[in-house]
Amino acid sequence: ETGVTQSPTHLIKTRGQQVTLRCSSQSGHNTVSWYQQALGQGPQFIFQYYREEENGRGNFPPRFSGLQFPNYSSELNVNALELDDSALYLCASSLQGIHHEQYFGPGTRLTVT
Amino acid sequence: KQEVTQIPAALSVPEGENLVLNCSFTDSAIYNLQWFRQDPGKGLTSLLLIQSSQREQTSGRLNASLDKSSGRSTLYIAASQPGDSATYLCAVFYTGANSKLTFGKGITLSVRP
């Protein structure tokens, strides 16, 4: 059974640029959630996707958007990057809806300069 | 506001000590509570998941309890080892519209040899 994977591991971008982060869910999982974790803080929920539809969103602006594909992998897109977007971005997958146990990937460290 | 609090932010104990990590939450209307471990710069590893109907869960040297009426959960670590050094995060899945996994800021544990 393959766990949750994320790419890239690290990324450095300039303010104003756009970035795409990728996540492959654990085999058989149909729900993917994205979180932002600033240094010294707990992860903050960005949004979740269930069967390719956005199914819940946290307090993040529209420049944070996402997709889920038929194989349940997912992308997180962030436009017009700001310095405060620098964080660890975590993807989590679960089975049959987000209420089940969440399995997290290793994260993507994004630095915005 | 639905929040999760973990106090203290950091804890240092000698090897072999039994210890308890605390988590409090503001609303008893929850689906489940999950404890995670996070090593520096890494993703989250799920330790234990307690459904709202359960009182505790055990895995090896770890035992987690849940008391919804008082809004508390504890993670008990028996016979601590230096390898247990990490940040431990508590996360609650609240019920209701737009429900999402809400994290505490974590407790950074250091086990001294």
Side-chain angles (χ1 to χ4, degrees):
Chain A
E1 183 177 88
T2 306
V4 179
T5 61
Q6 293 185 242
S7 63
T9 305
H10 296 89
L11 204 50
I12 300 175
K13 289 286 189 178
T14 303
R15 189 172 52 182
Q17 286 188 316
Q18 177 266 343
V19 68
T20 297
L21 310 182
R22 295 179 173 82
C23 171
S24 292
S25 61
Q26 187 162 312
S27 177
H29 286 185
N30 56 15
T31 301
V32 173
S33 304
W34 286 91
Y35 296 82
Q36 180 195 67
Q37 187 178 24
L39 204 60
Q41 303 294 315
Q44 297 291 313
F45 174 72
I46 302 175
F47 45 57
Q48 72 183 48
Y49 280 83
Y50 174 58
R51 293 185 174 179
E52 303 177 58
E53 300 272 340
E54 186 177 296
N55 187 33
R57 190 177 182 93
N59 190 25
F60 281 81
R63 59 189 185 85
F64 286 78
S65 63
L67 283 173
Q68 187 180 31
F69 300 100
N71 67 354
Y72 301 129
S73 65
S74 176
E75 286 182 355
L76 164 65
N77 298 291
V78 187
N79 293 322
L81 284 167
E82 300 177 359
L83 297 179
D84 284 349
D85 295 334
S86 296
L88 181 67
Y89 287 84
L90 297 163
C91 165
S93 74
S94 61
L95 183 62
Q96 296 178 358
I98 196 171
H99 304 155
H100 288 74
E101 188 167 4
Q102 302 280 296
Y103 293 87
F104 280 78
T108 294
R109 171 69 64 186
L110 172 65
T111 302
V112 182
T113 62
Chain B
K1 185 180 178 183
Q2 295 170 330
E3 295 181 335
V4 177
T5 303
Q6 294 184 257
I7 296 172
L11 189 61
S12 180
V13 300
E15 181 177 4
E17 189 163 300
N18 300 325
L19 59 102
V20 173
L21 305 181
N22 294 307
C23 170
S24 61
F25 48 95
T26 54
D27 189 339
S28 62
I30 69 171
Y31 280 116
N32 57 48
L33 183 146
Q34 199 165 351
W35 282 93
F36 295 90
R37 168 185 172 138
Q38 186 173 33
D39 293 293
K42 305 295 186 183
L44 307 182
T45 301
S46 177
L47 298 174
L48 290 165
L49 170 72
I50 310 177
Q51 300 291 353
S52 63
S53 59
Q54 299 174 320
R55 295 299 299 268
E56 65 178 319
Q57 284 283 351
T58 298
S59 176
R61 294 184 294 109
L62 305 179
N63 175 277
S65 68
L66 175 64
D67 184 343
K68 285 195 305 178
S69 61
S70 66
R72 291 174 185 264
S73 175
T74 61
L75 178 66
Y76 174 82
I77 303 176
S80 58
Q81 305 169 357
D84 294 331
S85 299
T87 296
Y88 291 82
L89 293 140
C90 167
V92 173
F93 202 99
Y94 288 105
T95 62
N98 297 318
S99 58
K100 61 186 185 295
L101 199 60
T102 301
F103 282 84
K105 292 184 178 181
I107 299 173
T108 299
L109 173 66
S110 174
V111 181
R112 307 186 302 271

